[in-house]
Each structure stands twice: as structure tokens, then as C-alpha cells.
Amino acid sequence: MMATRKLCLSFNRALGVANRSLKSLNSPGESLDSRTYASLTHGIHVFHCPDEVGIVAKLSECIASNGGNILGADVFVPENKNVFYSRSEFIFDPLKWPRAQMDEDFLKLLKRFNAMRSVVRVPLLDPKYKIAVLASKQDHCLVDLLHGWQEGRLPVDITRVISNHERVPNTHVIRFLERHGIPYHYLPTTKENKREDDILELVRDTDFLVLARYMQILSGKFLRGYGKDIINIHHGLLPSFKGGNPSKQAFDSGVKLIGATSHFVTERLDAGPIIEQMVERVSHRDNLHSFVHKSENLEKQCLIKAVKSYCELRVLPYEQNKTVVF
């Protein structure tokens, strides 16, 4: 409890320094107005390091000393783990704190605290994440991702869609991709050949991958060859209802609660660190059609929220198979 009180006290003091620093952007006695806010840029910083006294103060001082202002901060210090996690959102003047200098300043903190992770992102200045989407026959998650990208709800650039299922030219998906200049790669697979080398060649320049109901298991060799994060989605009917048509199995069994899980892909099938989960009740009033519709809606919402959280630096690895999601 003493350590927690010290952390909160240090954090409050640090926030006070950061808030006071915002006045340095204006003339003495001048209040912050809309024109000042319009000239500021939004930044995000996440930090993961061994726990010790003074981390919050130094992080806040780094932002405040460069004229920035913290808008919100989350800290997680798990009990008896000697590890520290934080995520801060702040505004700053890029003319007073250039982007390259920001990287250098946070790098000093990484070295100072021997951090495992220190990532800073300025959405308006940094390139969008480049992703590729892998899908099979079902379209619902793929279509939702494409529409989310089109509407600006996802800060990504979709570089290509890869599928082991052929889509004829006049389908909704193909028309959308052609209209927006996104390549579609049909790679038919067999049990003997999953086309992983071909996929790897297509996705080398991406920042991460999204499996939008891609019904092929990626091998450990592929995961090691890609070396970056892969986000997957599946229904929450596992492990009770495996194999073909799990929704009908669950419906016939009279389940009352359905769900969806989005997680990172690891060599353990559907057992990677969980990013997001959603649930919804079903009842005797549902028929098979409404049951499947509710299940697919959950999958869409769960996947797009997981991708958005990942892009906003809300997801950090915790222990061997968990995540901290701020």
C-alpha cells in the first residue's frame, strides 16, 4: 500500500508539472484558447520496464520540459511482479518539440530505466500502419475491416487481401478492392501446400497481419519468418463446439451465451494472448439464422476493436501469455 501511495503522489505531482508547462505555450496571463489547441499535435507513449521509484515523474517531466501537456495516463504495476506499465496521451507543439528529438528524449528514458519497451506514436505525423488481411470464404469480418478503413475508423493502410478462396469478379469484395486499388491475391491451398512462402513474400513490407476468419493454420516456420504480430479472430464457442458448423452445434445444444475472441497468433492453436473478448445472450426465441447473425456481429466488432486498440498502442505483452490492454 505504501508503494501505491507513493506512486499516486508522484503521479499527481508530475501531472501538475505537465499542466503548468502548458502555460509556457502562451504569453504570461493569457488563457489557452482554441487557436492554441489547433496548433498542437496529439502523441501517445507506452512504457514497459522494471518497476522502481520515480518512473512516472521522469516520464511526465520529459513531456512537460518540452512544453507538452498530458491529457491522460494509465499506469499498471502488478503486485509482486517488479514490473511497470504505462500509457500516456499528450499534446505538444511540433515546432518546439520536433519529432526526431522526441524519439531521442524517450530513448534516454528507455536506457535510464532499462525498459523492455518504449514506443511513441504521433498519428498525424507518423505513417499509418501497413497491414495485409488474410481471409477465407466468409466475408463478414473482411468487409467490416474494409469499411472501417474506408470510413477512417482504422488508422491503417490495407496493402492487400490474401485468400485461399476464389472470389468472382462481380462480388461486393472484389468491386470494393478494385475501386480502391487494393490487390487481391487468390492462393489456393492444399493439405500439403499452405502457400506460406508465397504469403510471406507478399507481406514482408507490412507492420502486422490480420486474419479475418482465415481458416488455415499458420506454421511455426511462417510465424518465425514473418517475425511481427498477427491478430486473429474466432467465435467464442470453442472448445466445446469444434469442427464444421460450430454455430449449429451450439444452437442445437441450446447455449444461452455466445462470444468472440481476438488474440495474437502463436504456435499454440487459438491460444495466443487475448486482446479483446465480447459476449451476447441468446435465447429460445433465436432461430439458427439470428443465432449466426449475432455471432458474426460479435466477431466483426471484436476484431475491429482489437485492431484499433493495437494501433492506438493500448496493447502490451504481460507475462508469458497475457496482455495489458489500457
Side-chain angles (χ1 to χ4, degrees):
M1 290 298 294
M2 182 64 71
T4 302
R5 286 197 295 271
K6 287 181 179 178
L7 178 64
C8 291
L9 181 60
S10 174
F11 183 59
N12 289 334
R13 287 173 178 168
L15 278 180
V17 172
N19 284 324
R20 288 195 299 274
S21 73
L22 186 59
K23 296 178 181 178
S24 67
L25 296 172
N26 306 314
S27 302
E30 181 184 355
S31 62
L32 190 67
D33 58 22
S34 59
R35 289 173 298 176
T36 303
Y37 268 111
S39 68
L40 301 181
T41 301
H42 175 247
I44 308 168
H45 178 252
V46 294
F47 205 60
H48 174 201
C49 68
D51 188 31
E52 65 174 87
V53 174
I55 302 172
V56 171
K58 288 296 183 183
L59 288 171
S60 301
E61 182 185 359
C62 177
I63 296 170
S65 63
N66 288 284
N69 185 53
I70 294 176
L71 300 179
D74 287 295
V75 172
F76 174 56
V77 182
E79 187 176 2
N80 300 322
K81 298 294 183 181
N82 191 39
V83 64
F84 172 94
Y85 295 88
S86 74
R87 179 183 182 274
S88 306
E89 294 195 36
F90 56 94
I91 51 175
F92 69 101
D93 185 342
L95 295 178
K96 295 185 177 182
W97 197 11
R99 184 67 181 83
Q101 182 62 48
M102 181 183 292
D103 282 336
E104 290 184 19
D105 292 339
F106 282 120
L107 179 61
K108 291 175 185 176
L109 289 178
L110 180 145
K111 295 176 179 178
R112 162 68 177 80
F113 291 105
N114 194 28
M116 291 78 88
R117 177 171 301 202
S118 175
V119 181
V120 62
R121 183 159 183 82
V122 181
L124 288 179
L125 301 179
D126 296 348
K128 291 182 178 180
Y129 290 100
K130 293 191 296 183
I131 71 168
V133 181
L134 278 67
S136 290
K137 185 175 182 179
Q138 290 180 293
D139 281 343
H140 59 285
C141 286
L142 172 60
V143 168
D144 198 56
L145 283 170
L146 293 174
H147 287 167
W149 165 79
Q150 181 187 39
E151 295 164 4
R153 289 184 286 127
L154 291 177
V156 299
D157 279 329
I158 299 177
T159 63
R160 61 193 73 250
V161 173
I162 302 168
S163 180
N164 63 326
H165 177 77
E166 187 173 18
R167 287 172 170 81
V168 296
N170 203 31
T171 59
H172 172 67
V173 168
I174 296 300
R175 290 199 307 269
F176 183 98
L177 296 177
E178 289 176 346
R179 187 163 64 249
H180 294 282
I182 301 174
Y184 181 82
H185 302 271
Y186 166 50
L187 300 178
T189 59
T190 64
K191 289 184 178 180
E192 296 75 26
N193 185 4
K194 301 293 186 180
R195 306 294 296 274
E196 289 190 343
D197 290 340
D198 297 317
I199 297 173
L200 199 58
E201 191 61 33
L202 290 170
V203 302
R204 287 193 185 278
D205 65 340
T206 58
D207 295 305
F208 66 97
L209 302 181
V210 178
L211 308 187
R213 298 294 286 152
Y214 185 62
M215 306 306 290
Q216 300 293 314
I217 299 173
L218 298 174
S219 69
K221 179 183 176 183
F222 177 90
L223 300 181
R224 291 187 294 272
Y226 182 60
K228 288 171 270 190
D229 289 326
I230 304 174
I231 296 176
N232 188 28
I233 183 70
H234 61 71
H235 57 75
L237 305 174
L238 295 172
S240 297
F241 306 104
K242 302 177 181 178
N245 210 340
S247 292
K248 187 175 187 308
Q249 294 179 51
F251 176 77
D252 290 342
S253 296
V255 302
K256 302 303 182 188
L257 198 66
I258 59 174
T261 296
S262 185
H263 63 91
F264 290 114
V265 176
T266 63
E267 292 191 44
R268 293 178 59 208
L269 180 62
D270 290 333
I274 293 171
I275 304 170
E276 183 61 57
Q277 289 183 300
M278 293 183 176
V279 296
E280 183 174 340
R281 295 196 65 82
V282 290
S283 75
H284 58 278
R285 298 184 184 280
D286 283 290
N287 56 32
L288 181 58
H289 176 78
S290 65
F291 186 101
V292 171
H293 181 69
K294 287 181 177 180
S295 181
E296 290 182 348
N297 272 340
L298 283 176
E299 291 171 12
K300 293 188 296 185
Q301 295 171 41
C302 190
L303 179 59
I304 206 162
K305 185 173 182 182
V307 172
K308 191 171 186 291
S309 294
Y310 182 88
C311 293
E312 293 175 350
L313 303 186
R314 297 185 182 277
V315 185
L316 291 168
Y318 174 43
E319 296 187 329
Q320 185 175 355
N321 201 46
K322 297 181 181 179
T323 56
V324 171
V325 182
F326 284 121

